[in-house]
Amino acid sequence: HAAEAHRTDLMTITRHVLNEQSKHPEARGAFTILLNHIVLGCKFVCSAVSKAGLAKLIGLAGETNVQGEEQKKLDVLSNEVFVKALISSGQTSILISEEDEDATFVDPSKRGRYVVVFDPLDGSSNIDCGVSIGTIFGIYMVEHKNDLSLEDVLQPGENMVAAGYCMYGSSCTLVLSTGNGVNGFTLDPSLGEFILTHPDIKIPKKGKIYSINEGNAKNWDKATAKYVENCKFPKDGSSPKSLRYIGSMVADVHRTLLYGGIFMYPADKKSPNGKLRLLYEVFPMSYLMEQAGGQAFTGKQRALELVPNNIHERSPVFLGSHGDVEEVKKIYAAVE
Ligand code: AHG
Ligand code: MN
Ligand code: MN
Ligand code: MN
């Protein structure tokens, strides 16, 4: 049926967002213009990633970013493409990127009402071996656009007006929420358009998969260790969960969203705040999970309620099927 509709009634991401926008009479198309520029960035990265091996784009770029990570050429290239596309949209005022130490304050002549936080290339360690990688973004709205400060960025994730990711895998899939549920779009390279392929995604209430880097088990806190133990040796006689861990957050979260289950990057002795960055990894993925009927927990509270203190702050995260995250919350409450 979807294929039939696709042939004649092309529900592109732009049309879909315009439909959404018609629910906001005050909207003047600014968000649609912004989204189109994000989509342009994703199309570029999709094409660069698919040619990475050929164009010698793989391998280290030599510099390191604020995270102290070796920047790979695609990280740097993707970051530049997104920054330029977002500024040229004329709809942004502040940009936060994993790859830029400081916030980018857009020149007043090009300023708009949106703050965009993004991870231009997520899963960099997987670039050289051809495993799925992605882009993650979150969008806040700021009213006054003259006296901007970092305060305008350090907002809880629940203030986001939209969030999404693009996964560069066997196909290029963009998953987006503008606050009314979650929809998935797949790039049709022959049209150069993202077509609606996964309308109104809802995550299963409970899943059979747990996703965590077991290599960190030595450093886990008691609650995490106990939960993972229950996944492997269930007390209630149910069958053990399967472990699936790709090492690209976008790919692990996409599988969790479609199949159900739980994705975890907990705090551990080595990294007390976990590894994932709050603004442009934890918040957008938590926003999507809640919009799809799942939930996201930090070990202490609902992830979207956290207020960041700095733009590259990290946070532990347990996200996915509502029932699975509920189990984690119970264990944390008991060991408190
Ligand atoms: P990035 O490549 O944007 O720095 O993100 C990498 C993150 C995330 O994609 C993934 O879930 C996590 O790193 C994997 O970390 P470990 O290798 O420590 O498991
Ligand atoms: Mn990185
Ligand atoms: Mn990342
Ligand atoms: Mn990244």
Side-chain angles (χ1 to χ4, degrees):
H1 171 64
E4 191 48 46
H6 175 180
R7 239 196 301 284
T8 55
D9 178 27
L10 293 179
M11 181 48 81
T12 64
I13 191 164
T14 307
R15 261 190 67 194
H16 193 270
V17 170
L18 281 171
N19 291 351
E20 290 290 310
Q21 176 196 308
S22 59
K23 295 174 190 159
H24 305 273
E26 81 288 351
R28 295 185 302 280
F31 181 79
T32 305
I33 293 170
L34 171 64
L35 188 83
N36 277 349
H37 284 79
I38 292 175
V39 164
L40 176 67
C42 293
K43 288 180 188 172
F44 173 86
V45 177
C46 174
S47 129
V49 165
S50 57
K51 289 186 297 239
L54 304 171
K56 292 270 172 287
L57 278 174
I58 57 183
L60 301 182
E63 298 133 41
T64 56
N65 62 10
V66 64
Q67 328 282 338
E69 301 164 332
E70 293 276 334
Q71 271 190 309
K72 295 189 182 287
K73 285 186 190 125
L74 266 178
D75 275 8
V76 180
L77 195 67
S78 314
N79 188 47
E80 285 168 14
V81 165
F82 277 106
V83 169
K84 288 186 178 125
L86 289 166
I87 292 175
S88 69
S89 75
Q91 308 304 327
T92 61
S93 52
I94 308 175
L95 306 180
I96 302 291
S97 165
E98 180 208 349
E99 302 303 335
D100 290 329
E101 183 157 359
D102 301 314
T104 299
F105 287 85
V106 178
D107 184 276
S109 65
K110 296 287 287 175
R111 265 186 202 164
R113 301 192 303 170
Y114 296 102
V115 169
V116 183
V117 297
F118 62 103
D119 177 356
L121 204 72
D122 173 69
S124 312
S125 63
N126 281 324
I127 294 177
D128 298 0
C129 61
V131 166
S132 298
I133 52 182
T135 297
I136 310 171
F137 60 90
I139 302 171
Y140 292 105
M141 184 128 85
V142 288
E143 289 320 320
H144 51 83
K145 59 182 188 170
N146 301 325
D147 54 343
L148 288 171
S149 76
L150 273 191
E151 292 316 304
D152 292 296
V153 178
L154 301 176
Q155 302 183 42
E158 62 189 349
N159 289 5
M160 285 187 172
V161 294
Y165 60 80
C166 191
M167 185 174 78
Y168 312 110
S170 50
S171 61
C172 181
T173 305
L174 201 154
V175 172
L176 173 72
S177 174
T178 57
N180 303 301
V182 180
N183 292 286
F185 303 82
T186 304
L187 182 64
D188 176 336
S190 67
L191 294 176
E193 290 284 358
F194 280 97
I195 305 291
L196 180 65
T197 46
H198 297 71
D200 195 21
I201 301 175
K202 290 295 174 210
I203 183 170
K205 280 288 155 236
K206 252 172 95 62
K208 301 187 179 59
I209 297 170
Y210 75 103
S211 187
I212 191 168
N213 183 340
E214 286 265 9
N216 296 332
K218 190 165 63 69
N219 302 320
W220 288 340
D221 64 16
K222 274 204 300 295
T224 300
K226 191 159 162 43
Y227 176 73
V228 173
E229 181 71 8
N230 291 350
C231 290
K232 296 183 197 175
F233 305 95
K235 304 263 177 304
D236 59 5
S238 59
S239 48
K241 290 186 189 296
S242 290
L243 168 61
R244 290 283 183 278
Y245 192 73
I246 300 167
S248 295
M249 186 184 195
V250 169
D252 281 315
V253 167
H254 189 59
R255 183 207 52 250
T256 305
L257 184 65
L258 297 187
Y259 293 1
I262 186 166
F263 170 80
M264 302 171 268
Y265 209 110
D268 65 36
K269 293 188 201 89
K270 251 187 348 178
S271 8
N273 280 329
K275 172 184 181 182
L276 299 176
R277 281 57 57 113
L278 188 55
L279 270 177
Y280 42 79
E281 289 174 316
V282 174
F283 277 164
M285 296 315 208
S286 301
Y287 182 96
L288 289 168
M289 280 297 162
E290 291 200 357
Q291 285 289 321
Q295 60 174 325
F297 178 62
T298 66
K300 293 193 174 72
Q301 65 187 93
R302 176 176 168 250
L304 289 180
E305 283 166 3
L306 266 174
V307 179
N309 295 305
N310 70 70
I311 60 175
H312 297 296
E313 183 172 322
R314 297 168 193 262
S315 164
V317 66
F318 302 80
L319 59 78
S321 292
H322 199 277
D324 293 325
V325 178
E326 211 50 36
E327 301 282 310
V328 174
K329 288 162 75 172
K330 278 197 204 102
I331 294 177
Y332 267 96
V335 302
E336 219 152 24

